Amino acid sequence: MAERLTDIGPPKYDLFWPQVIKDNAGKWLYHDILEPGVLLHVSETGAKIWSVRCGTTRLMTTMMVEDICKLADQFCDGHFRFTTRNNVEFLVVDESKLEPLKKALKAAGNLPIGGTGASITNIVHTQGWVHCHTPAIDASGVVKAVMDDLFEYFGSHKMPAQVRISLACCLNMCGAVHCSDIAILGVHRKPPVIEHTHLDKMCEIPTTIASCPTAAIKPAKVDDFKSVAVNADRCMFCGNCYTMCPAMPLADADGDGIALWVGGKVSNSKSMPKFSKLAVPFIPNEPPRWPTTVKMVRQIVEAYVAGANRYERLGEWAERIGWERFFEKTGLEFTHHHIDDYRFAATTWRTSTQFKW
Amino acid sequence: MAERLTDIGPPKYDLFWPQVIKDNAGKWLYHDILEPGVLLHVSETGAKIWSVRCGTTRLMTTMMVEDICKLADQFCDGHFRFTTRNNVEFLVVDESKLEPLKKALKAAGNLPIGGTGASITNIVHTQGWVHCHTPAIDASGVVKAVMDDLFEYFGSHKMPAQVRISLACCLNMCGAVHCSDIAILGVHRKPPVIEHTHLDKMCEIPTTIASCPTAAIKPAKVDDFKSVAVNADRCMFCGNCYTMCPAMPLADADGDGIALWVGGKVSNSKSMPKFSKLAVPFIPNEPPRWPTTVKMVRQIVEAYVAGANRYERLGEWAERIGWERFFEKTGLEFTHHHIDDYRFAATTWRTSTQFKW
Amino acid sequence: MAKKHQTPMLDELEKGPWPSFVTDIKRMAETGKDACADLLGQLELSYKDKEGHWKHGGIVGVLGYGGGVIGRYSDVPDLFPGVEHFHTVRVNQPAAKYYHSESIRKIMDIWNRRGSGMLNMHGSTGDIIMLGAFTDELENIFAELTSLGWDLGGSGSALRTPSSCLGQSRCEFACINAEDICYDLTQSYQDELHRPAWPYKFKFKVDGCPNCCVASLARSDCAIIGTWRDDIRIDKAAVAAYAAGEFAANGGAHGQDVKLDIQKDVCDLCPTQCMAWDGKTLSINNKECTRCMHCINMMPRALRPGKDTGASILVGAKAPILDGAQMGSVIVPFIKMEPPYEEFKEFVEKMWEWWDENGKNRERIGETIQRLGLGTFLAAVEVEPDPRHVKEPRSNPYVFYKEDEVPGGFDRKIEDYRKRHAR
Amino acid sequence: MAKKHQTPMLDELEKGPWPSFVTDIKRMAETGKDACADLLGQLELSYKDKEGHWKHGGIVGVLGYGGGVIGRYSDVPDLFPGVEHFHTVRVNQPAAKYYHSESIRKIMDIWNRRGSGMLNMHGSTGDIIMLGAFTDELENIFAELTSLGWDLGGSGSALRTPSSCLGQSRCEFACINAEDICYDLTQSYQDELHRPAWPYKFKFKVDGCPNCCVASLARSDCAIIGTWRDDIRIDKAAVAAYAAGEFAANGGAHGQDVKLDIQKDVCDLCPTQCMAWDGKTLSINNKECTRCMHCINMMPRALRPGKDTGASILVGAKAPILDGAQMGSVIVPFIKMEPPYEEFKEFVEKMWEWWDENGKNRERIGETIQRLGLGTFLAAVEVEPDPRHVKEPRSNPYVFYKEDEVPGGFDRKIEDYRKRHAR
Ligand code: SRM
Ligand code: SRM
Ligand code: SRM
Ligand code: SRM
Ligand code: SF4
Ligand code: SF4
Ligand code: SF4
Ligand code: SF4
Ligand code: SF4
Ligand code: SF4
Ligand code: SF4
Ligand code: SF4
């Protein structure tokens, strides 16, 4: 064990850079999106680099990585990168390889070109039923169904502005969907079912009790087992108890499903960053293709395309026209679930006579 | 007691109307502020009424009311009204009486004309040391000192927009200063001093404990007296305990003084109503003329006049230029007290890189 | 000879151009009103001590009423016996505070004879505040007031004296008869006003339009604010006159010589950007208008609210004690307001019933709503949830579902779960 | 022959134009990877049950590391033995996720031999996620990875794998060397990354400019966002070219044929309205600019951030568990970011120390700040209060004063009070 390496950290960031980046990092002058998916960056030195962006499934096999490597070898001297939204970018230094690369990508079929500019780029998402233990929904399947439907917008620049869709399969929100133009969120709706016979063995009762943000969990003795009881009226299905204690699963075929959120953003451009707001409280899980979710996402996208000004993010549009108009334009129903009742609820009430009919 | 009248309510609203109002109520077509303090209202019928608005002290004697009655008799057939901000309005039906009324008012000297349009109108205020038991400051005296200083703006239209100053002498905020362009607020800064020897006799201990919003009050036995103790670290000097229990006074010459707040509004015009925000956390009580308060109010007013666009309320101006700029322009200091730490505090933090140097 | 205290500090407040309450009180003191002299004396002491000198009230009042009088005693009565008792009598003002000299003189006369002669014209809630009576005069004052047609206002955990802007009596913007509504509510709810029976105070204020001249939105548990549903009325000739600089901007609020730049001052400042001006025609896309009043305020001679008028009802405004200040929140976006205001009163009674049942002691309705949720309140008053109730939909995912909303309900068996999922 | 489960539902996800993960996994299963076949089988079962089939992890990992591996077990292992263990190995990605085929092939080879062959490229935090290993392979995988120069990422109550946008490597907007900062922090804090010792997780993300392409502002406890203090650089010739329609608007983001209306698209949308365009000259009142990036985004060939660059530090972003989601709040409005980033690291260490002392179990730093107050946190990290810390100053009057701020302190004697005020 003497030679066991630890704490070496990742490879240094410039190790895999193409030479043109090594020479021009920090000197880039401007970029130009030549067509959907194809970026040109020009340096102060006159040097250029073309990046061809392609959608990926994120959940992929080593075979898929090999597909990418082969294309990279052929057209990019082996260089490529992944974006922060799970697209792959082929880094082209030799302009003459650009068209052949595009052709090869089209031929390959599993790496659609797009995701730049005013498009709907790849959906940031999480693990769902493929790996996690707390999901209310699958991730990859929903993403596939939604992206199939929105495919025309991935490889084009037809949106008023960039549209960022994210998905998280439970309230932990590993997809950090809370600031997305459109967020697809897995939600539970039933309080945990408790395994009284094993709870005390599997979990620490005080930690379990402390895990509940609404203090819905109390100690309880059930059939002589030390266990806990949940006050269902106070449960908001956050799942934190299950994270702390496997004897309290929430998952349920009827209880679980999807909520849609809209109008968040992260960038500071024009308006300050915004949280996503609830658009659709619940859509049942409809594997394998989640048709209602797909339909409602499209409804939102289309209303946005029809109504927004160019350069206006979805949330900026909704705020400009007013949320009453947002619900009218999207045809979505406004319910009591849309009215906040959590900690800052009062700050969301309409304290003005200003509203539209 | 048979003939004892109760529950008759106030005189009906139209009882004291001049005839022209009886004839034209609901038919008014437009108004025109002919000069500061002088309003003309014109009816669909062509009828006209002139209103001459004058500042009052609000706190007044019956002799002052008699002064008003005399002028009303002379020029208005006895008709006058008070505004929602404690100005008096003389209702002139006969145009020829307008100039003589103005002359008489000027002669009288205790009823300055003004308070209309883009002026600083009368200060809505409360009772202070003249009547209430919980004040941290006087009311009438502060108002007098501030209005003396701002007098030029009462009888003119030099403000960018209307400026509404309000004063409340304690956190109960009877002046409802929480939505004022400028608010003058009496604040305590010492926790209640407890009269252990009498508390149990004068107050109900459970009610007293329950009165504290921060749970700073706990039951305590002091020298054999049943009483309470206050955790000074949790006390935010709201005074609610003293309201419930006279054995816990807060008032203190060194502890009490004035906080200034800015940028609130009530009207729905242009921007939605806004709360006033903290500008100056504390100014000591400086009777009889509160010079520091007077000076700081003027500082705010002058920065506003210099910086705002016409038709822009103080809060609209502050938000347009940004609060960092507001503190720079007014020369007021920003301290840790300006940072909210109450229930909705997190909603006031700056969650963006957007700010000015 | 009239009583007199040395008041060197207060004397400083006789200087300066704004009317001086000190000067006014002094002259009253000079007529022999000891209460006035002692009031000045005690106030001078407060100026010296930088502390007030009044004690808690204790229960004083008139027979059969739980409110209308605020007890007040000096904590230095030996020094200032004239204000040993200094109770307040809240006299319910006529809506919009119109007076005739003849009538007001009569009540001033009562006050001169039986009270201190000191007044607040008016209290923040709207009452005529008679400031400074001894306990034994209260019944007499009340009897004389009622005999003249006046009654007391509210105090304590009761309905407080409703108040209104001047509305249709002298304002062209009024969309509802604010004064009539104020009067009608006052009369209809006399019992609620005089006999405290609620968790805490409750205030109505009525504004004729969204300009909110009585600040209902900030200061009343239930704000009734006039508005309209149809189109803003445009007088084209008057628009042209504004364009030609014939009329002063904003009804002369900035001086008669300040004229309007319709594009810049009106259209560009419209919060919804729903107005267009091409130099000749002013057009409004009324569907997108939020009836903020700005354009109408700017051009009162050219623009008027529509004709299909009614009110928006906003509930819950209050001062900061205890949970922080609140403004009113839209509860009923639009309601017709025609006498006898039945539909509105039905709403009010549902609201009160819910608050009465659910409100804690000293909890304003706005706080009860905060605690139990706006959705809960809407259900109680039978109003459908509407995007107009919120500035924005919730952004946190913590949605409470009721058992009957979820197929299969909440009851599940762990055995069933374990059939599908090993431990 | 390769193992195969019937997957009628998943097969539906092979249709449609977007790449299909099912197709990809199927081909891997066909090479004989039982883990992939069983993954599809179990996923099909989940599609049928509408419930996931993974159990809690339990503690698995590699020697000396408290994180980097997430344990995962099937709850139907008899049906799908290939995924009985399905642990995740988080491999720390190179900053900005540049790869060379040669090098990535080597780690894919490890994964083909010792793991399932399934990946997430990449995890939401930024790691290369190797999805599906048996416990007994973990040490081997780790040894092979490190021997090739790769290390594990973070998990548990530790520093998580920092990540960055691509910054100066390919972006003209980058105001700081985002990748270098990311790398430097990762290397400097290896111990914090591999050995969980905090109340909860902690994330760094580094964005080169306020566009926030790695979403640092929404997803990292400490966001380092490039910005500048001097003036936006203007290339006049390029402005003219935009005006003449020679360049596409917004860097071609709307198609090469969409040109710019400088007034409408740039100046009118500037949030501070600090830009002016007279048809010839574009001028910026930089003092009023909030460096939002909009104008630069619109005209990347004409405008560039200033040269006095550094970062704004925003602290506290997180997902909603437990107190609701937070975005980062400005803590350090501006800090220079030059290697070795000493000043920044001093700040970081003060921050961690405070959080470590004050944070409750499973409390993110943003929640600790919420609970104890932003002012308290600022004092702890020795940053002066600044209006830039807030969107607006407080509007409630509940100011806490400390005893030493008030003359005479808090201790008072009731006897003294009663000397001035009778009971
Ligand atoms: C490659 C990538 C960074 C990386 O390190 O991987 C990237 C690259 C660029 N971003 Fe980004 N952004 C990338 C994720 C993001 C994100 C993060 C996200 O979506 O999760 C954001 C914040 C999104 C939000 O606000 O919700 C983001 C907000 C922006 C903006 C601000 C747009 C706005 O109007 O709000 C710009 C400026 C613009 O597009 O005009 C920008 C501009 C750019 C530019 C033009 C920068 C440049 O000069 O090269 C790059 C190409 C733009 C394009 O794709 O059209 N990038 N960009 C990411 C590509 C993601 C993808 O595959 O689709
Ligand atoms: C007389 C009075 C109502 C009453 O029942 O007594 C009144 C009367 C008028 N108000 Fe008011 N307002 C009166 C208190 C208010 C208040 C309440 C307050 O200040 O406490 C407000 C809300 C203030 C706020 O937003 O903080 C108020 C906000 C307005 C507005 C909205 C202005 C804005 O830009 O926000 C207008 C429209 C305007 O001025 O253009 C308005 C307009 C008017 C008009 C022009 C209405 C009309 O057509 O006659 C009246 C004369 C205006 C003037 O004084 O310049 N009135 N007005 C009140 C006079 C108070 C005083 O003595 O100074
Ligand atoms: C007289 C008056 C102030 C004035 O100078 O005008 C007044 C005076 C008192 N108010 Fe008030 N309030 C008066 C209007 C208001 C208003 C304004 C309004 O009604 O528009 C408010 C703010 C709006 C609101 O209702 O929230 C107001 C909010 C309070 C509060 C805080 C209530 C809250 O929920 O935050 C208290 C505290 C309490 O009830 O214990 C309070 C309590 C008091 C008490 C009873 C003091 C106490 O703690 O017991 C004061 C009696 C003083 C006295 O000696 O007469 N007063 N009070 C006003 C009533 C006169 C009238 O009837 O016309
Ligand atoms: C793998 C990954 C999702 C993915 O598919 O990409 C993931 C997976 C899990 N996350 Fe996460 N989180 C992942 C990125 C995130 C992010 C995004 C980010 O880092 O930018 C967030 C939101 C930002 C944040 O940190 O708040 C995130 C917020 C959470 C939370 C909620 C934390 C909170 O304070 O609100 C939890 C709950 C917890 O810690 O118990 C959580 C918990 C989990 C756990 C450990 C489940 C649990 O309850 O124990 C998941 C393990 C799943 C598994 O089987 O591997 N995960 N998690 C991401 C890590 C991959 C990587 O290392 O690159
Ligand atoms: S969002 Fe929830 S279910 Fe999905 S990966 Fe994260 S913790 Fe697991
Ligand atoms: S799901 Fe959340 S709210 Fe419900 S019991 Fe568990 S921890 Fe509490
Ligand atoms: S604000 Fe406070 S001190 Fe002033 S009158 Fe109201 S309750 Fe009394
Ligand atoms: S003043 Fe307020 S916070 Fe302080 S002890 Fe009294 S009730 Fe509590
Ligand atoms: S609220 Fe409207 S109707 Fe009432 S006085 Fe003010 S402007 Fe006129
Ligand atoms: S009332 Fe307000 S929103 Fe409506 S058109 Fe006029 S300015 Fe615009
Ligand atoms: S955050 Fe800024 S610097 Fe980084 S990639 Fe995005 S635009 Fe470029
Ligand atoms: S960066 Fe933003 S605020 Fe600054 S000038 Fe450009 S658009 Fe305006």
Side-chain angles (χ1 to χ4, degrees), chain A residues 190-191 195 198 251-252 278 325 337-338 340-341 348 350 355-356, chain C residues 287-288 291 330 388 390-391 394 396 405 407 409 412 418 423:
Chain A
K190 298 197 179 190
E195 188 154 30
H198 289 71
D252 185 274
L278 184 61
R325 195 64 84 231
H337 294 309
H338 289 89
D340 195 2
D341 47 11
T348 68
R350 177 110 46 158
F355 55 77
K356 296 179 182 180
Chain C
K287 178 134 175 70
E288 299 308 312
R291 291 150 286 104
V330 175
R388 292 159 190 87
V390 295
K391 285 189 191 130
R394 73 159 65 229
N396 67 70
E405 293 179 276
R412 297 187 286 156
R418 284 292 173 233
R423 193 171 304 121

Short mmCIF file of all heavy atoms in Angstrom, two decimals, chain A residues 190-191 195 198 251-252 278 325 337-338 340-341 348 350 355-356, chain C residues 287-288 291 330 388 390-391 394 396 405 407 409 412 418 423:
data_model
loop_
_atom_site.label_atom_id
_atom_site.label_comp_id
_atom_site.label_asym_id
_atom_site.label_seq_id
_atom_site.Cartn_x
_atom_site.Cartn_y
_atom_site.Cartn_z
N LYS A 190 -47.74 11.31 -1.34
CA LYS A 190 -48.24 10.53 -0.20
C LYS A 190 -47.20 10.57 0.91
O LYS A 190 -46.00 10.51 0.63
CB LYS A 190 -48.50 9.08 -0.61
CG LYS A 190 -49.57 8.97 -1.68
CD LYS A 190 -50.14 7.56 -1.80
CE LYS A 190 -51.22 7.54 -2.89
NZ LYS A 190 -51.98 6.29 -2.93
N PRO A 191 -47.65 10.68 2.13
CA PRO A 191 -46.70 10.66 3.23
C PRO A 191 -45.99 9.31 3.27
O PRO A 191 -46.49 8.34 2.70
CB PRO A 191 -47.56 10.85 4.49
CG PRO A 191 -48.96 10.96 4.04
CD PRO A 191 -49.05 10.73 2.58
N GLU A 195 -42.30 1.43 8.19
CA GLU A 195 -42.02 0.04 8.50
C GLU A 195 -41.72 -0.08 9.98
O GLU A 195 -40.55 -0.14 10.39
CB GLU A 195 -40.83 -0.41 7.65
CG GLU A 195 -40.57 -1.90 7.76
CD GLU A 195 -39.87 -2.41 6.51
OE1 GLU A 195 -39.11 -1.63 5.89
OE2 GLU A 195 -40.09 -3.57 6.15
N HIS A 198 -39.15 -2.49 11.65
CA HIS A 198 -37.70 -2.40 11.43
C HIS A 198 -37.13 -1.01 11.65
O HIS A 198 -35.91 -0.84 11.63
CB HIS A 198 -37.36 -2.84 10.00
CG HIS A 198 -37.52 -4.30 9.79
ND1 HIS A 198 -38.76 -4.91 9.75
CD2 HIS A 198 -36.60 -5.29 9.67
CE1 HIS A 198 -38.61 -6.21 9.56
NE2 HIS A 198 -37.30 -6.47 9.52
N ALA A 251 -42.29 6.52 -2.24
CA ALA A 251 -42.65 6.20 -3.63
C ALA A 251 -43.99 5.48 -3.71
O ALA A 251 -44.28 4.59 -2.92
CB ALA A 251 -41.55 5.36 -4.26
N ASP A 252 -44.78 5.86 -4.69
CA ASP A 252 -46.11 5.26 -4.86
C ASP A 252 -46.60 5.52 -6.28
O ASP A 252 -46.58 6.66 -6.76
CB ASP A 252 -47.08 5.86 -3.85
CG ASP A 252 -48.44 5.20 -3.91
OD1 ASP A 252 -49.27 5.64 -4.74
OD2 ASP A 252 -48.66 4.25 -3.15
N LEU A 278 -44.40 27.72 -10.10
CA LEU A 278 -45.25 26.56 -10.41
C LEU A 278 -46.21 26.85 -11.57
O LEU A 278 -46.96 27.83 -11.55
CB LEU A 278 -46.08 26.17 -9.18
CG LEU A 278 -46.94 24.92 -9.34
CD1 LEU A 278 -46.09 23.70 -9.64
CD2 LEU A 278 -47.79 24.68 -8.10
N ARG A 325 -52.18 36.52 -17.28
CA ARG A 325 -52.14 36.35 -18.73
C ARG A 325 -51.35 35.10 -19.11
O ARG A 325 -51.70 34.40 -20.07
CB ARG A 325 -51.51 37.61 -19.36
CG ARG A 325 -51.72 37.74 -20.83
CD ARG A 325 -53.19 37.92 -21.21
NE ARG A 325 -53.64 39.28 -21.13
CZ ARG A 325 -54.73 39.65 -20.47
NH1 ARG A 325 -55.47 38.78 -19.80
NH2 ARG A 325 -55.12 40.91 -20.45
N HIS A 337 -53.11 25.16 -5.42
CA HIS A 337 -51.73 24.72 -5.22
C HIS A 337 -50.72 25.74 -5.72
O HIS A 337 -49.56 25.72 -5.33
CB HIS A 337 -51.50 23.39 -5.93
CG HIS A 337 -52.28 22.26 -5.33
ND1 HIS A 337 -52.26 21.99 -3.99
CD2 HIS A 337 -53.11 21.34 -5.89
CE1 HIS A 337 -53.04 20.95 -3.73
NE2 HIS A 337 -53.57 20.55 -4.86
N HIS A 338 -51.16 26.60 -6.60
CA HIS A 338 -50.24 27.61 -7.12
C HIS A 338 -49.96 28.71 -6.10
O HIS A 338 -49.03 29.48 -6.26
CB HIS A 338 -50.81 28.25 -8.39
CG HIS A 338 -50.80 27.33 -9.57
ND1 HIS A 338 -51.84 26.49 -9.85
CD2 HIS A 338 -49.86 27.10 -10.51
CE1 HIS A 338 -51.55 25.79 -10.95
NE2 HIS A 338 -50.35 26.14 -11.37
N ASP A 340 -48.64 30.09 -2.89
CA ASP A 340 -47.61 29.67 -1.94
C ASP A 340 -48.17 29.63 -0.53
O ASP A 340 -48.98 30.48 -0.14
CB ASP A 340 -46.45 30.66 -2.01
CG ASP A 340 -45.19 30.12 -1.34
OD1 ASP A 340 -45.21 28.97 -0.85
OD2 ASP A 340 -44.18 30.85 -1.32
N ASP A 341 -47.75 28.62 0.23
CA ASP A 341 -48.10 28.63 1.65
C ASP A 341 -46.90 28.22 2.49
O ASP A 341 -47.06 27.75 3.62
CB ASP A 341 -49.33 27.75 1.96
CG ASP A 341 -49.23 26.37 1.31
OD1 ASP A 341 -48.14 26.01 0.81
OD2 ASP A 341 -50.24 25.65 1.31
N THR A 348 -45.55 36.76 -1.72
CA THR A 348 -46.00 36.50 -3.09
C THR A 348 -47.44 36.92 -3.33
O THR A 348 -47.95 36.77 -4.43
CB THR A 348 -45.89 35.00 -3.45
OG1 THR A 348 -46.84 34.26 -2.67
CG2 THR A 348 -44.49 34.46 -3.18
N ARG A 350 -50.64 39.30 -4.00
CA ARG A 350 -50.78 40.50 -4.83
C ARG A 350 -51.30 41.66 -3.98
O ARG A 350 -52.47 41.75 -3.70
CB ARG A 350 -51.72 40.24 -5.99
CG ARG A 350 -51.97 41.46 -6.87
CD ARG A 350 -51.36 41.39 -8.23
NE ARG A 350 -51.56 40.14 -8.91
CZ ARG A 350 -51.49 39.98 -10.24
NH1 ARG A 350 -51.25 41.03 -11.03
NH2 ARG A 350 -51.66 38.80 -10.78
N PHE A 355 -53.93 44.49 -11.85
CA PHE A 355 -53.98 43.16 -12.50
C PHE A 355 -54.79 43.32 -13.76
O PHE A 355 -55.45 44.33 -13.97
CB PHE A 355 -54.58 42.11 -11.55
CG PHE A 355 -55.93 42.45 -11.01
CD1 PHE A 355 -57.07 42.32 -11.79
CD2 PHE A 355 -56.08 42.94 -9.71
CE1 PHE A 355 -58.32 42.65 -11.27
CE2 PHE A 355 -57.32 43.28 -9.19
CZ PHE A 355 -58.44 43.13 -9.97
N LYS A 356 -54.71 42.30 -14.58
CA LYS A 356 -55.42 42.37 -15.87
C LYS A 356 -56.64 41.48 -15.83
O LYS A 356 -56.68 40.50 -15.10
CB LYS A 356 -54.50 41.89 -16.99
CG LYS A 356 -53.28 42.77 -17.19
CD LYS A 356 -52.39 42.25 -18.29
CE LYS A 356 -51.17 43.17 -18.41
NZ LYS A 356 -50.26 42.71 -19.48
N LYS C 287 -57.29 45.73 -22.73
CA LYS C 287 -57.16 44.36 -22.22
C LYS C 287 -55.87 44.22 -21.40
O LYS C 287 -55.82 43.46 -20.44
CB LYS C 287 -57.17 43.39 -23.40
CG LYS C 287 -56.99 41.94 -23.01
CD LYS C 287 -57.97 41.01 -23.71
CE LYS C 287 -57.68 39.54 -23.41
NZ LYS C 287 -57.97 39.12 -22.04
N GLU C 288 -54.86 44.95 -21.77
CA GLU C 288 -53.58 44.83 -21.05
C GLU C 288 -53.42 45.87 -19.94
O GLU C 288 -52.42 45.87 -19.23
CB GLU C 288 -52.42 44.92 -22.04
CG GLU C 288 -52.42 43.83 -23.11
CD GLU C 288 -52.53 42.43 -22.52
OE1 GLU C 288 -51.80 42.12 -21.57
OE2 GLU C 288 -53.40 41.65 -23.00
N ARG C 291 -55.22 49.18 -14.88
CA ARG C 291 -55.99 50.24 -14.22
C ARG C 291 -55.22 50.90 -13.07
O ARG C 291 -55.74 51.12 -11.99
CB ARG C 291 -57.33 49.65 -13.72
CG ARG C 291 -58.28 49.28 -14.85
CD ARG C 291 -59.20 48.14 -14.53
NE ARG C 291 -58.46 46.91 -14.55
CZ ARG C 291 -58.07 46.26 -13.46
NH1 ARG C 291 -58.41 46.65 -12.27
NH2 ARG C 291 -57.32 45.16 -13.57
N VAL C 330 -55.15 41.14 -2.66
CA VAL C 330 -56.36 40.97 -3.47
C VAL C 330 -57.07 39.69 -3.05
O VAL C 330 -56.47 38.61 -3.07
CB VAL C 330 -56.02 40.87 -4.97
CG1 VAL C 330 -57.27 40.56 -5.78
CG2 VAL C 330 -55.34 42.13 -5.45
N ARG C 388 -54.78 36.38 -10.08
CA ARG C 388 -54.81 37.76 -9.59
C ARG C 388 -54.59 37.83 -8.07
O ARG C 388 -54.40 38.91 -7.52
CB ARG C 388 -56.13 38.42 -9.96
CG ARG C 388 -56.26 38.65 -11.46
CD ARG C 388 -57.67 38.82 -11.95
NE ARG C 388 -57.69 38.80 -13.40
CZ ARG C 388 -57.78 37.68 -14.14
NH1 ARG C 388 -57.91 36.51 -13.56
NH2 ARG C 388 -57.76 37.75 -15.46
N VAL C 390 -52.11 36.54 -6.61
CA VAL C 390 -50.68 36.49 -6.30
C VAL C 390 -49.87 37.36 -7.26
O VAL C 390 -50.29 37.61 -8.38
CB VAL C 390 -50.13 35.03 -6.35
CG1 VAL C 390 -50.76 34.19 -5.25
CG2 VAL C 390 -50.33 34.42 -7.72
N LYS C 391 -48.73 37.79 -6.78
CA LYS C 391 -47.79 38.46 -7.66
C LYS C 391 -47.14 37.43 -8.56
O LYS C 391 -46.82 37.70 -9.70
CB LYS C 391 -46.69 39.15 -6.84
CG LYS C 391 -47.14 40.42 -6.17
CD LYS C 391 -45.94 41.15 -5.57
CE LYS C 391 -46.39 42.28 -4.66
NZ LYS C 391 -45.72 42.24 -3.35
N ARG C 394 -46.22 30.10 -6.60
CA ARG C 394 -45.21 29.62 -5.66
C ARG C 394 -43.94 29.22 -6.39
O ARG C 394 -43.98 28.76 -7.52
CB ARG C 394 -45.74 28.44 -4.86
CG ARG C 394 -45.86 27.15 -5.65
CD ARG C 394 -45.89 25.93 -4.73
NE ARG C 394 -47.07 25.91 -3.89
CZ ARG C 394 -47.05 25.70 -2.59
NH1 ARG C 394 -45.91 25.49 -1.97
NH2 ARG C 394 -48.15 25.69 -1.90
N ASN C 396 -41.55 27.44 -4.36
CA ASN C 396 -41.03 26.29 -3.63
C ASN C 396 -41.93 25.09 -3.90
O ASN C 396 -43.12 25.24 -4.18
CB ASN C 396 -40.95 26.57 -2.13
CG ASN C 396 -42.31 26.72 -1.53
OD1 ASN C 396 -43.05 25.76 -1.41
ND2 ASN C 396 -42.69 27.94 -1.18
N GLU C 405 -57.32 14.28 -2.53
CA GLU C 405 -56.83 14.71 -3.84
C GLU C 405 -55.98 13.63 -4.52
O GLU C 405 -55.65 13.76 -5.69
CB GLU C 405 -55.97 15.98 -3.70
CG GLU C 405 -56.74 17.21 -3.27
CD GLU C 405 -55.82 18.42 -3.14
OE1 GLU C 405 -55.17 18.59 -2.08
OE2 GLU C 405 -55.75 19.21 -4.10
N PRO C 407 -55.22 9.76 -5.62
CA PRO C 407 -55.86 8.44 -5.83
C PRO C 407 -55.33 7.42 -4.83
O PRO C 407 -54.13 7.33 -4.60
CB PRO C 407 -55.43 8.04 -7.25
CG PRO C 407 -54.98 9.30 -7.92
CD PRO C 407 -54.56 10.25 -6.84
N GLY C 409 -55.66 7.54 -1.71
CA GLY C 409 -55.52 8.11 -0.38
C GLY C 409 -54.14 7.93 0.20
O GLY C 409 -53.19 7.56 -0.49
N ARG C 412 -51.36 3.42 3.29
CA ARG C 412 -50.71 2.37 2.54
C ARG C 412 -50.20 1.34 3.52
O ARG C 412 -49.97 1.63 4.68
CB ARG C 412 -49.56 2.95 1.73
CG ARG C 412 -50.02 3.97 0.70
CD ARG C 412 -48.88 4.40 -0.18
NE ARG C 412 -47.94 5.29 0.48
CZ ARG C 412 -46.68 5.45 0.12
NH1 ARG C 412 -46.19 4.73 -0.88
NH2 ARG C 412 -45.90 6.30 0.76
N ARG C 418 -43.33 -3.69 0.44
CA ARG C 418 -42.24 -4.66 0.52
C ARG C 418 -42.41 -5.84 -0.44
O ARG C 418 -41.45 -6.52 -0.77
CB ARG C 418 -42.07 -5.16 1.96
CG ARG C 418 -41.40 -4.17 2.89
CD ARG C 418 -39.94 -3.95 2.54
NE ARG C 418 -39.36 -2.87 3.35
CZ ARG C 418 -38.73 -1.81 2.84
NH1 ARG C 418 -38.54 -1.68 1.54
NH2 ARG C 418 -38.24 -0.89 3.64
N ARG C 423 -36.27 -5.23 1.38
CA ARG C 423 -35.73 -4.27 2.32
C ARG C 423 -34.26 -3.98 2.03
O ARG C 423 -33.51 -4.85 1.66
CB ARG C 423 -35.89 -4.83 3.74
CG ARG C 423 -35.66 -3.81 4.85
CD ARG C 423 -36.04 -4.40 6.18
NE ARG C 423 -37.43 -4.87 6.14
CZ ARG C 423 -37.81 -6.13 6.36
NH1 ARG C 423 -36.93 -7.05 6.63
NH2 ARG C 423 -39.09 -6.44 6.32
#
